[in-house]
Amino acid sequence: SEGASDFRKLPREVDPEDVEAGLAYAHRVSTGMASDYGEYLSKSAWPKQWKEDTSQALLWALCTVSSRGTAANQIPGDSEGGTGIRLVPLADMANHDLLSAGFIELSGHETVADGGFVDAKVNDAGTFVIRAVWGADWKTKALDVGDEITVNYNLPYYGAVDWYLSLGFVPPEVSEQKD
């Protein structure tokens, strides 16, 4: 497949057959969507290669959304606990760091009096928060101008293939693992 040679530079833990299977699946989905919906898409601002092959535009969109989609325990504003997957604007700008805290998803019932860091309202349910805390002691860290905001993506069951196909990289703590 076109572009498969790029995947061969991944850490050894990634089986090239798994990558090829993921790529083939993404191509099947994008080709099917192009067949079903391609004629309805506005293509005036698209690059030439996408105008010639709508499935390439849909492949890019599929990969962009799937690499940024976030599993949510709560649908925003739903205090009853509806779950789903959604896009969280700007969340993907926080790079992964194993020593950082993870994303915090509000339930809408947090209070400072009960040890929370915010007094949340019911309509805050599902809101994602990043706190500047680092290290084993989880101490709050004041950010200086220019400091990078990082978060632990907290995906302990992801292997190298999962990281690469879902997030586009393999963190050191995964690529350095021994079988």
Side-chain angles (χ1 to χ4, degrees):
S1 296
E2 185 178 324
S5 61
D6 300 335
F7 297 120
R8 308 231 189 276
K9 297 176 186 173
L10 293 172
R12 288 184 165 188
E13 295 86 9
V14 178
D15 184 341
E17 290 178 13
D18 289 338
V19 174
E20 291 293 337
L23 184 61
Y25 176 75
H27 278 284
R28 280 195 312 275
V29 171
S30 65
T31 300
M33 290 178 71
S35 174
D36 292 345
Y37 306 109
E39 67 184 276
Y40 303 106
L41 300 174
S42 172
K43 303 172 186 172
S44 61
W46 285 12
K48 182 181 178 188
Q49 73 184 50
W50 289 1
K51 290 177 183 177
E52 294 170 357
D53 183 359
T54 302
S55 71
Q56 291 300 307
L58 293 169
L59 178 64
W60 172 85
L62 175 68
C63 291
T64 299
V65 169
S66 66
S67 70
R68 288 163 177 82
T70 301
N73 293 318
Q74 302 226 188
I75 297 194
D78 179 4
S79 63
E80 302 302 315
T83 63
I85 296 176
R86 64 176 179 272
L87 294 178
V88 180
L90 306 177
D92 65 325
M93 292 178 66
N95 286 323
H96 170 72
D97 185 328
L98 186 62
L99 297 179
S100 294
F103 291 102
I104 299 165
E105 184 178 7
L106 299 179
S107 68
H109 303 290
E110 293 83 0
T111 65
V112 173
D114 290 332
F117 62 92
V118 65
D119 284 324
K121 297 175 181 54
V122 172
N123 63 352
D124 292 329
T127 300
F128 276 77
V129 177
I130 298 174
R131 293 192 66 205
V133 295
W134 276 264
D137 56 3
W138 298 106
K139 295 285 184 186
T140 301
K141 176 186 175 193
L143 294 173
D144 292 324
V145 173
D147 280 354
E148 179 179 21
I149 296 174
T150 59
V151 66
N152 184 337
Y153 289 0
N154 194 23
L155 300 166
Y157 302 107
Y158 268 29
V161 170
D162 302 304
W163 276 93
Y164 189 77
L165 293 178
S166 297
L167 297 156
F169 73 100
V170 180
E173 67 269 17
V174 174
S175 64
E176 294 169 0
Q177 287 177 353
K178 305 292 183 224
D179 290 333

